[in-house]
Amino acid sequence: IPVPTPTATQVANAEKNGREIHPKNFFSFKESCPRFHGALVSIKDVVTFFKQSSLNSKLTSTLKQEVATRWNSELIMLESYLKAASEVQNLLLQNGKINKLSNIDNESVKELVDFLRPFEECTKVFSQDSQPTLHQIAPWFHKLHQHLEINEDDSDELKLLKGQAMICFAEYCKTSTMHYVAALLNPKFCKFKFASEEKKEEARKEMKQLIMGEIEKERDQAGKDAGHSEKPRPTDPGPEAKKSRFADIEDSDTEENSTEIGLASSSDLAIAEMNKYLDAKLTELNIDSFLIS
């Protein structure tokens, strides 16, 4: 999130060349959020001191250092400090280093932790390699956008941080209609409570077009197969299958839903099933069956 603030020379050159400086580049984490910045810098220093002085081994829950190349390591560092805060204070007091905590306000640390946690959860979800995650992109986009909205009870620095984060989010985080189609195919999101009416309509329209396209392909292929198929050789039918005692009252394999909706072809049934799904309530859907499919 911290982005270098442009110098006066850079601003002058940009104006001279008719270029605009992106709004995010006018944000300085150190200047805009001195309380947060001071806590972060001081905690890094405390963690370094504890590791170099072997005091870390005396803690019930050890401190973790931030690693710039690792996802969410700043959050991990902050959480490790909060878990061991009282023990850290006692050990620093015993070693005459209590001044290292002078810029650390535990409430500020908690604010930062609460701000960063949803991003950690999101990165873990999309780091999976054994399950599809396409259907979660649109819901997560909505959740993170909602998380970055400024609330009245936010501190002044948190409001500034959220404002900067929202600018970056708008630039780097994009969704397409296909992400909403994927979410629509998850029965838990079938009603699209998180999406605007415009997004709902676009996703439903795109989904119908995709399914209709597949149905047309099947119809074309069936027509080609019928035109080139050879006359089957007569085969021995074998012994006649034993007729079920309930054959006269059982549903056949191909008549499911057809008598109810007055349709006979598989393509018409597919379209009817799609519409039934889009109009169904969550309680009417067999979620486990849909997810397995």
Side-chain angles (χ1 to χ4, degrees):
I1 291 172
V3 178
T5 306
T7 64
T9 303
Q10 289 174 322
V11 172
N13 288 336
E15 291 177 349
K16 181 179 179 180
N17 297 320
R19 289 184 289 105
E20 292 185 3
I21 295 178
H22 198 285
K24 72 179 180 185
N25 292 325
F26 285 104
F27 179 86
S28 167
F29 182 62
K30 181 178 179 179
E31 295 176 8
S32 301
C33 306
R35 188 165 50 92
F36 288 159
H37 181 267
L40 276 171
V41 171
S42 296
I43 289 175
K44 290 177 186 178
D45 179 56
V46 168
V47 175
T48 300
F49 174 73
F50 266 70
K51 285 182 174 290
Q52 291 178 349
S53 62
S54 301
L55 289 175
N56 210 29
S57 59
K58 296 183 179 181
L59 296 172
T60 305
S61 179
T62 59
L63 297 176
K64 308 295 189 296
Q65 186 59 281
E66 178 204 9
V67 181
T69 55
R70 290 185 60 189
W71 285 101
N72 306 303
S73 64
E74 200 163 69
L75 171 63
I76 293 169
M77 179 188 71
L78 295 173
E79 288 179 325
S80 73
Y81 171 78
L82 284 178
K83 286 180 183 178
S86 58
E87 289 182 72
V88 168
Q89 183 176 352
N90 291 334
L91 287 171
L92 288 176
L93 192 60
Q94 292 171 18
N95 287 269
K97 298 289 184 179
I98 193 64
N99 62 305
K100 287 185 175 291
L101 300 181
S102 59
N103 291 325
I104 302 176
D105 170 24
N106 285 355
E107 286 304 313
S108 296
V109 179
K110 289 176 183 176
E111 273 190 288
L112 280 172
V113 167
D114 291 340
F115 174 75
L116 294 171
R117 266 184 185 149
F119 296 99
E120 180 195 37
E121 186 181 350
C122 182
T123 54
K124 285 183 177 180
V125 166
F126 292 108
S127 295
Q128 298 182 75
D129 57 8
S130 59
Q131 295 182 20
T133 56
L134 185 67
H135 65 285
Q136 298 194 59
I137 291 177
W140 264 109
F141 179 88
H142 168 76
K143 275 296 176 185
L144 291 180
H145 191 278
Q146 192 177 52
H147 174 63
L148 294 177
E149 291 175 354
I150 295 173
N151 301 313
E152 290 184 6
D153 56 348
D154 290 337
S155 67
D156 291 340
E157 288 194 11
L158 184 57
K159 288 177 180 178
L160 289 171
L161 185 59
K162 281 186 173 182
Q164 167 69 0
M166 186 67 89
I167 291 172
C168 295
F169 187 79
E171 180 179 0
Y172 298 118
C173 299
K174 310 288 185 182
T175 56
S176 69
T177 303
M178 191 56 67
H179 294 134
Y180 288 88
V181 171
L184 182 60
L185 290 170
N186 182 340
K188 290 184 178 180
F189 298 133
C190 188
K191 292 304 175 188
F192 259 24
K193 294 179 181 178
F194 60 87
S196 64
E197 290 300 320
E198 182 183 0
K199 289 293 184 184
K200 288 180 185 179
E201 186 59 31
E202 287 178 358
R204 288 170 180 265
K205 182 178 179 181
E206 181 71 15
M207 178 181 168
K208 289 182 178 181
Q209 287 178 344
L210 288 170
I211 293 177
M212 290 302 298
E214 291 302 314
I215 291 173
E216 289 302 322
K217 287 180 184 178
E218 290 294 328
R219 284 174 173 167
D220 292 343
Q221 189 60 46
K224 292 178 182 177
D225 292 342
H228 295 86
S229 60
E230 296 180 0
K231 186 176 181 180
R233 297 178 181 178
T235 56
D236 182 7
E240 185 178 350
K242 187 175 179 179
K243 196 171 184 179
S244 167
R245 182 178 294 275
F246 306 106
D248 60 326
I249 58 174
E250 288 179 339
D251 295 334
S252 68
D253 293 337
T254 58
E255 74 173 330
E256 182 183 357
N257 292 326
S258 62
T259 55
E260 179 184 343
I261 57 180
L263 303 170
S265 71
S266 59
S267 58
D268 287 340
L269 285 172
I271 296 170
E273 281 297 314
M274 175 185 66
N275 291 326
K276 181 180 177 183
Y277 172 78
L278 292 174
D279 295 333
K281 296 178 181 178
L282 182 60
T283 52
E284 297 173 350
L285 300 173
N286 186 337
I287 293 177
D288 292 335
S289 174
F290 273 111
L291 293 179
I292 290 171
S293 300

